[in-house]
Amino acid sequence: MKIVASDIDDLALGAVFLATGGGGDPYLPALIAKQTLVQTDGVTLIAPEALRDEDFVVPIGGVGAPTVSLELLPSVDEASQVLDRYERLMGRSIAAVASFEIGGGNSLMPLMAAAVRGVPVVDGDGMGRAFPEAQMMSYAIAGVTPTPALAMDYAGNTATFETADTVTYEHHIRAFAAAAGGMITVAEHPMSGAELKASVISGTVSFSLKLGQLLRKQRGPINQLMPALRALFNESVYGAIHQIFSGKVASISTRTVGGYDVGDLSIQDFHDPNAVCSITIKNEYLVAMVDGRPLAMVPDLIVIVDAETAAPINAERLHYGQRVAVLAIGAPEFYQTPQALAATQPRCFGIDLDYQALAELVPSDN
Amino acid sequence: MRIGLDVGGTHTDAVLMDGTTVVARTKATTTADVASGIEAALRVILAECDPAAVDLLTIGTTQFTNAVIERKQLSKVAAVRVCLPAGRGLMPRSDWPEDLVKSTDGGSYLLHGGHLYDGRELAPLDDAEVTALIRSLNDAKPAAVIVSCAFSPTQPALEMALVDRLRAALPDTPICPSHQIGGLGLIERENAAILNAALLAFADRVANAFTGSSSRLGLRCPVYVSQNDGTLITLERLRHYPALTFASGPTNSIRGAWALTGLSDAIVIDIGGTTSDIGVLKNGFPRQSNLVIDVGGIRTNFRMPDVLATGLGGGSLVSDDGRTCGPQSVARELRQKALCFGGDVMTLTDIAVSRGRLAISDAAVTSPVTEALCDIVDETILAKLNAAVDQMKPGGAILPVILVGGGAALVPGDNLAGCPIVRPDNADVANAIGASIAQVSGEAEMLHVASKQSRSEVVELVTARAETAAVSAGAAADTLSTINVEALDIPYMAAETTRIRVTVVGDLDDPSKRAS
């Protein structure tokens, strides 16, 4: 399958949905991706199974503050140069490029880099959504080490990393990002084809595209869209999708703490003002509760959409009075495993709550 | 006394104000040449007073917005971006509609230089590149040049250094620094600067026309133009920053609502022929939007009032069952199509006329709609406006709702979304009254890194810059007050970083002193 320029807007829309409130505005990456795919005549998307076990696969993406990219602009050259340097560092040639996360702007950079280099991009990613930290990636959870890693800044300066563990790597890469202008392009988690197959959340790129197409073509009240969304998610790597609440935004408070957007959101039922859904935010929507009872929690996906258009709304765009619906989607099976939950359950975000699967929390009426 | 003029798409409204009192008012039709409509309105007003008694003429105009939307009166602009080795990802004017590229493209140039988020230099200016640029510009002769430099809104020095060199080398070409037009967001700021520069030649013609009209009618007072934030700029400043008037339509209505009621914190609904535009008064000024703003198909980051438009106006179509009103509208054809004028289309005007809320002297039918249907339509209107007002309420606070505009009478009842309705006199010329308010502003912004400076130091620094800007815009230094300090957290940054923006406002340095 080939991804071409005309797919990018739908892919970006799907990526905002799967970003579960985080991920930033994909406007600039989408614009650059379109331009790149016009010049390169598209990029080949390959299923993980199509890779040979001995193939060399590298995930690539941006690390840092999306706000900085608004001034320095994302760069295709930077992305393809990172791959060149990485091949030199590792002494191997790259068979395919993979993505850190399908949520937000980072889903588009691997497409551009792969298009310029003429290599395929893997249909899948390392999260199936957006997460804030490297140790939450499926690659890391499956035991792939993040290093050797190579990062490049806007001026072509590079740094390479060899760290003892993923958490240390995360600290060091963030420090380099801050020192190098706020946003860097990184190749990390080098893998064999066999390792990738064991750790990737498969099919998420083509899924995000289908999701975006659906949201665009059937734009309208979420209630009308739910049957089509259910059908789409039922045939995916994800669990079932449920509409767990709808109402108007009654309050939203976020502030930046340690580089994260942290806050709380409450949504009031349209008909019963005493029924309130509260959502904990740390870049992404992490836990949804009603009356002190959890309805959905990380790593299951919580998505907020406009009730009238079904357009996904990320956390920085929420404001008082918006009419919204809260959707919850079961995380891919990979994230239901004990090792994955150990890295991504609510306690990993400082929330004192035992993980309960979405399937146990919502009635299986759909 | 002051005259406020508002040039809209359909009407040119004028008011003569003595302090806060409306002495005279008129509605004229906006003419194709604009000037004759302005002069017609001014003649009506000046029949009520001696031109020598007028201290100030202020004009709100949508001419520049319309020029962009209609792709008329635009000239060719060279875009110089100072960003290398970063900023290569997209060329200037990417993602623009093709016709707008064609009418404004005067070349694009990328140079080394700029700053980083923490104030460090990204790269120095390269002398050889600057020399080559000047040579190219001398050959290409664009009508204007814009310079956009990475992080120039927080670090303008390098952008200004290049602007100064270009001004010296090309003395007859306007050279526009982007940081004086837009905030952070290189592409949006550059877009805004290009649009502004493309309107400079037209701005000269408009400014000359304003001066011409006012002197033909015997006015000797200074002429000012109202800008997006609800304050005034001189004609001289309009010649440099025409784009600052892009939102003066909704802004003037919101400011007019403040002048008519004295309520400095309120929700304002301007009800026109097709839409109801809902804005918010905060400290007497329109609450600003932080989102990117689309102007004629282009993403910009102009500071514009936060306005929610909902499809309800005098011309809105009403379905047979009364459950749907708008967004379709007969717009300007109200007098041909509406039931009350003998037409065959049911509009919101017909409901208001049937209800007796609106008296139209030349209406053909005075109650074209049944009582029962009116009841249903009133419910529909209220449901739609309640939801919209609720969205705009700051944090859900109960604030008065001021109704202005020609369609204010369409709204039934005495509250919306739990907020009491205020219906001031002269609400239909609120926009012209808003244009007549004699205040000017200054704004500045900076990124604050918590580990480097205390927040109060940064606020002080930014406020001083904003004050300087206000005084240079014509404010009397002893009347300055800070109306807004905004802190936006920047996510994903390891060091806690905040964007701090300050707006300062002052009274126009007494224009009557000049007149006497």
Side-chain angles (χ1 to χ4, degrees), chain A residues 23 25 27 31-32 35 64-67 70-74 154 178-179 181-182 248 255-256 258-259 283 317 319-321, chain B residues 81 85-87 89-90 95 116-117 120 122 150-151 184-186 189 291 299 390-391 393 396 489-493 496:
Chain A
D25 181 354
Y27 172 76
L31 205 53
I32 296 175
Q35 199 173 276
T67 319
L70 297 181
E71 281 294 315
L72 303 187
L73 307 187
Y154 63 92
K248 75 165 195 180
R255 58 205 176 89
T256 310
N283 288 4
R317 288 287 167 89
H319 62 80
Y320 174 88
Chain B
R81 187 192 291 167
L90 284 169
D95 203 31
L116 297 174
Y117 74 95
R120 281 179 294 155
L122 188 158
F151 282 100
L184 289 175
L186 179 73
R189 180 171 75 252
L291 301 179
R299 261 169 87 101
D390 201 25
Q391 280 206 37
K393 282 197 284 194
D489 289 338
I490 302 203
Y492 300 94
M493 205 80 104
E496 282 175 27

Side-chain angles (χ1 to χ4, degrees), chain B residues 121-188:
Chain B
E121 206 170 62
L122 188 158
L125 276 177
D126 178 326
D127 269 332
E129 282 180 358
V130 175
T131 308
L133 170 70
I134 290 171
R135 204 176 314 121
S136 304
L137 292 174
N138 262 322
D139 291 343
K141 299 204 179 346
V145 179
I146 69 105
V147 179
S148 63
C149 182
F151 282 100
S152 65
T154 55
Q155 298 286 332
L158 202 134
E159 184 167 286
M160 285 315 297
L162 180 59
V163 165
D164 289 344
R165 287 182 66 174
L166 294 181
R167 281 179 179 159
L170 305 153
D172 299 325
T173 310
I175 314 287
C176 315
S178 72
H179 77 273
Q180 293 179 356
I181 283 290
L184 289 175
L186 179 73
I187 295 290
E188 290 82 4

Side-chain angles (χ1 to χ4, degrees), chain A residues 214-234:
Chain A
L214 175 72
L215 292 170
R216 172 175 55 86
K217 288 183 185 158
Q218 301 197 27
R219 181 183 166 88
I222 183 65
N223 296 331
Q224 288 173 24
L225 215 69
M226 277 309 287
L229 282 173
R230 268 185 214 119
L232 187 68
F233 274 95
N234 283 343

Side-chain angles (χ1 to χ4, degrees), chain A residues 146-165:
Chain A
T147 60
L150 185 142
M152 184 181 279
D153 71 5
Y154 63 92
N157 301 307
T158 58
T160 56
F161 297 83
E162 286 275 4
T163 54
D165 56 60

Side-chain angles (χ1 to χ4, degrees), chain B residues 422-470:
Chain B
V422 178
R423 299 171 187 269
D425 290 340
N426 294 311
D428 56 329
V429 286
N431 45 7
I433 292 169
S436 78
I437 302 168
Q439 285 188 304
V440 289
S441 70
E443 198 174 82
E445 69 175 32
M446 238 177 112
L447 282 191
H448 167 226
V449 182
S451 54
K452 295 201 166 169
Q453 269 164 307
S454 81
R455 179 139 163 172
S456 58
E457 275 170 3
V458 174
V459 171
E460 214 168 285
L461 198 65
V462 182
T463 306
R465 280 193 198 168
E467 285 174 349
T468 309

Side-chain angles (χ1 to χ4, degrees), chain A residues 137-178:
Chain A
M137 260 197 274
S138 61
Y139 310 136
I141 293 165
V144 178
T145 53
T147 60
L150 185 142
M152 184 181 279
D153 71 5
Y154 63 92
N157 301 307
T158 58
T160 56
F161 297 83
E162 286 275 4
T163 54
D165 56 60
T166 310
V167 174
T168 309
Y169 170 70
E170 178 67 22
H171 284 309
H172 288 197
I173 196 85
R174 293 272 163 199
F176 180 62

